[in-house]
Amino acid sequence: MRTQVAIIGAGPAGLLLGHILHRVGIQFVILEQKSREYILGRIRAGVLEQGSVDILHELGLDSDLAERGLTHHGIYLQYEGQRHHIDFLDLVGRTVTIYGQQALVKHLLAEHDRIGSDVRFEVDDVQLHEVEGDAPFVTAVHDGEELRIDCDFVIGSDGYHGVCRPAIPGIRALERSYPYAWLGILSHVPPSTDDLIYALHPSGFAMHSMRSLEVSRLYLQVDPDESIDDWPDDRIWEQLQLRLGTPGWTLHEGAISEKSITPMRSFVASTLEHGRLFLAGDAGHIVPPTGAKGLNSAIADVALLGRSLVAQYGGDEGPLKSYSRSALARQWKVQQFSQWMTEMLHVHRESPDEATRAFRYRTQVGQLEYTTGSRHAQAALAEQYAGLPF
């Protein structure tokens, strides 16, 4: 078969790029290794930057978001038992929206079904060919039959473990692992807060987020090598009450429907392009979740890549040639912010020396006191959290 753009991966990046291309009449096919049920069942990020919301609105893909999304004007930073509100709307005139990646993928896929897009699941043995030349093609196996797709461009939105990034010769992975992980839970209890809470506590970081007005999403800092089996529900709630507690405030408890431990790391590929192959989303970079940037980085990539492909088919090759440079320049700013938030809010336990640990903790408190006490510092946080321009 023949198409213009072959998209590998049906996560939010691949699905959204398909809609961007469909809007201007560029043909595409989306190939996904996992099943449809697996894609729809993955629980991932839940905060959309203002720019991500604007893109979905511009594309007419925000009907479910408008109905179910929760607009937040800021976040709380908590330390030393005190909670401080950072008001994004007041500081920079922008907001964020709580809307789970799972819900976004479901809506994007439903819209692809409605317009009749060619999205294929459970595709095996995907291989890329001739991406350095003018006639790339993709081979795969689908429903037991061999498949060949000739195309103009291949887009790798197939995640960190996908086949596209390894297809780029000499590509380097710039990585950093963190000495802590997040234990995350979903609880069917209404949120106990109006905006997200980020808390630094001597026992470790904690966060109160949400998925809806009926479902809370909460996190605890744990060690990366801990087992979820060592965290019964009672222990989780005990630590959440300890780390998030403030005078006069109540954390409501409920049934836990899902819990898992996720290590934290940063990763950026040295390039996002090779010939006619371009990477987007987790295939090219991963951030620790503290700054809520993973999903938004994927959306930013495909917004830029979509505009570049539209320009390419309109006769302007410049934007596509500069895609990798532009996307990585934005990504490194995102990495800096995510690293800053992570290091400011997580207890550093790796040093065996108690005095060193105490010193680092007090500097974190000092950093939080400066951030919450300076309007300029608050504005810098708000500008980055609510989202850099695409």
Side-chain angles (χ1 to χ4, degrees):
M1 62 181 298
R2 167 80 194 175
T3 193
Q4 290 174 292
V5 180
I7 301 172
I8 314 301
L15 293 173
L16 181 58
L17 180 59
H19 282 294
I20 293 172
L21 299 180
H22 170 78
R23 193 182 188 205
V24 295
I26 297 175
Q27 300 171 348
F28 65 92
V29 174
I30 302 177
L31 305 180
E32 170 58 50
Q33 180 186 31
K34 302 293 186 179
S35 68
R36 185 186 184 102
E37 293 71 26
Y38 179 89
I39 294 297
L40 291 173
R42 287 188 297 192
I43 298 176
R44 292 291 189 270
V47 179
L48 291 180
E49 298 173 356
Q50 180 75 62
S52 297
V53 173
D54 293 344
I55 287 290
L56 294 170
H57 175 72
E58 178 186 326
L59 295 170
L61 297 169
D62 64 336
S63 59
D64 187 64
L65 170 64
E67 180 179 345
R68 300 173 56 191
L70 305 175
T71 300
H72 283 215
H73 291 179
I75 61 172
Y76 291 101
L77 293 179
Q78 180 177 317
Y79 56 95
E80 302 290 270
Q82 299 295 316
R83 193 171 295 164
H84 307 261
H85 192 243
I86 310 298
D87 192 327
F88 299 167
L89 191 61
D90 174 59
L91 291 162
V92 296
R94 295 164 70 80
T95 62
V96 295
T97 301
I98 305 300
Y99 184 68
Q101 179 173 316
Q102 190 177 12
L104 176 60
V105 168
K106 181 179 179 180
H107 183 68
L108 293 178
L109 191 52
E111 287 297 295
H112 276 297
D113 290 341
R114 184 183 64 80
I115 63 179
S117 301
D118 191 348
V119 183
R120 306 189 184 200
F121 294 95
E122 300 182 78
V123 179
D124 297 319
D125 195 25
V126 174
Q127 298 183 40
L128 315 184
H129 308 269
E130 306 296 336
V131 295
E132 300 90 347
D134 296 330
F137 64 97
V138 177
T139 59
V141 176
H142 184 238
D143 288 340
E145 297 183 359
E146 294 185 0
L147 178 69
R148 171 173 168 149
I149 302 175
D150 292 282
C151 55
D152 300 325
F153 302 99
V154 179
I155 308 302
S157 57
D158 52 346
Y160 181 81
H161 298 288
V163 302
C164 291
R165 189 177 69 258
I168 299 179
I171 192 170
R172 293 180 296 118
L174 308 176
E175 300 184 78
R176 177 189 173 184
S177 296
Y178 294 85
Y180 20 76
W182 274 14
L183 189 162
I185 68 167
L186 276 179
S187 177
H188 288 269
V189 61
S192 305
T193 179
D194 54 345
D195 280 338
L196 278 63
I197 303 170
Y198 288 79
L200 172 68
H201 188 275
S203 296
F205 167 81
M207 179 180 178
H208 189 327
S209 182
M210 61 205 70
R211 283 295 177 267
S212 68
L213 295 176
E214 296 80 32
V215 178
S216 296
R217 181 74 161 152
L218 300 109
Y219 299 94
L220 288 169
Q221 175 187 346
V222 299
D223 292 335
D225 58 354
E226 291 197 54
S227 169
I228 197 66
D229 296 334
D230 295 329
W231 284 89
D233 293 2
D234 288 347
R235 184 186 179 195
I236 292 173
W237 285 116
E238 177 186 12
Q239 282 297 308
L240 287 169
Q241 293 284 1
L242 174 67
R243 302 183 195 184
L244 289 170
T246 57
W249 178 79
T250 300
L251 173 63
H252 302 294
E253 300 183 11
I256 295 177
S257 60
E258 188 270 340
K259 58 182 176 180
S260 60
I261 292 178
T262 304
M264 300 175 67
R265 63 194 177 98
S266 297
F267 149 75
V268 183
S270 57
T271 182
L272 302 181
E273 63 182 36
H274 176 63
R276 295 195 168 220
L277 167 63
F278 299 86
L279 305 180
D282 285 0
H285 42 73
I286 293 173
V287 293
T290 323
K293 294 301 171 211
L295 173 59
N296 293 292
S297 291
I299 293 174
D301 280 354
V302 296
L304 178 59
L305 186 55
R307 290 196 294 264
S308 299
L309 287 167
V310 171
Q312 179 78 17
Y313 282 108
D316 182 2
E317 299 180 351
L320 197 57
K321 288 182 177 179
S322 63
Y323 163 72
S324 179
R325 182 173 65 254
S326 300
L328 286 177
R330 184 185 192 278
Q331 178 57 207
W332 280 115
K333 297 183 183 74
V334 168
Q335 290 285 346
Q336 174 277 137
F337 175 70
S338 299
Q339 178 178 268
W340 176 73
M341 287 280 288
T342 300
E343 293 186 337
M344 180 171 63
L345 289 162
H346 289 77
V347 173
H348 304 278
R349 302 192 181 108
E350 61 271 27
S351 174
D353 180 62
E354 182 178 349
T356 299
R357 295 197 302 270
F359 181 88
R360 293 195 67 174
Y361 183 81
R362 296 314 307 177
T363 62
Q364 291 173 267
V365 172
Q367 192 171 23
L368 283 162
E369 287 179 338
Y370 170 72
T371 301
T372 57
S374 165
R375 185 173 177 86
H376 294 294
Q378 291 181 44
L381 188 157
E383 181 181 42
Q384 295 175 90
Y385 196 105
L388 300 173
F390 285 3

